[in-house]
């Protein structure tokens, strides 16, 4: 992935796919074997494991072999950088919307005072 080099880019790239988001949602309930994770999807297992590889390569999930099965689990720390970025953006946009609200309220007050003098 030459265009995705930092952890934030990798996390958002991994989460940009609905299959991978569904896997993350399933793993939020707890670890699961690959066969259980793959069951809801209509795709060949090699194609599905490529999705798991993307999630694992960016640090959002980890897997381990247990007997004849491979089990996956979320790595909560892998989401930290994306969560920090999203929270900073949310705060920035909330502040801009607060400023817009203040501006619009002041314009409304200006309009209201003009109408009272008519």
């Amino acid at each position: 992935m030459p265009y995705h080099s930092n952890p934030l880019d990798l996390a958002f790239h991994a989460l940009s796919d609905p299959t991978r988001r569904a896997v993350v949602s399933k793993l939020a309930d707890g670890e699961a074997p690959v066969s259980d994770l793959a069951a809801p999807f209509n795709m060949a297992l090699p194609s599905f494991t490529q999705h798991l590889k993307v999630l694992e390569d960016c640090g959002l999930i980890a897997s381990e072999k247990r007997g004849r099965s491979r089990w996956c689990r979320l790595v909560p720390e892998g989401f930290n950088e994306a969560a920090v970025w999203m929270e900073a953006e949310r705060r920035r946009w909330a502040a801009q919307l607060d400023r817009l609200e203040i501006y619009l309220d002041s314009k409304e007050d200006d309009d209201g005072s003009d109408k009272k003098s008519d």
Side-chain angles (χ1 to χ4, degrees), residues 5-52:
S5 58
N6 70 49
L8 185 60
D9 290 346
L10 290 170
F12 280 117
H13 169 72
L15 294 172
S16 70
D17 183 87
T19 299
R20 294 191 288 263
R21 287 193 308 272
V23 168
V24 168
S25 293
K26 174 72 173 157
L27 291 175
D29 296 333
E31 62 184 10
V34 170
S35 58
D36 287 359
L37 294 172
F41 302 99
N42 187 22
M43 67 177 73
L45 190 57
S47 297
F48 182 77
T49 57
Q50 286 299 313
H51 287 289
L52 296 179

Side-chain angles (χ1 to χ4, degrees), residues 66-80:
R66 293 186 196 160
R68 295 175 57 154
S69 298
R70 179 159 292 280
W71 284 70
C72 297
R73 63 176 173 80
L74 284 183
V75 178
E77 303 80 28
F79 294 86
N80 287 349

Side-chain angles (χ1 to χ4, degrees), residues 80-95:
N80 287 349
E81 190 166 347
V84 166
W85 183 84
M86 285 187 287
E87 178 58 21
E89 288 299 303
R90 187 199 64 76
R91 286 183 183 174
R92 184 171 70 90
W93 282 101

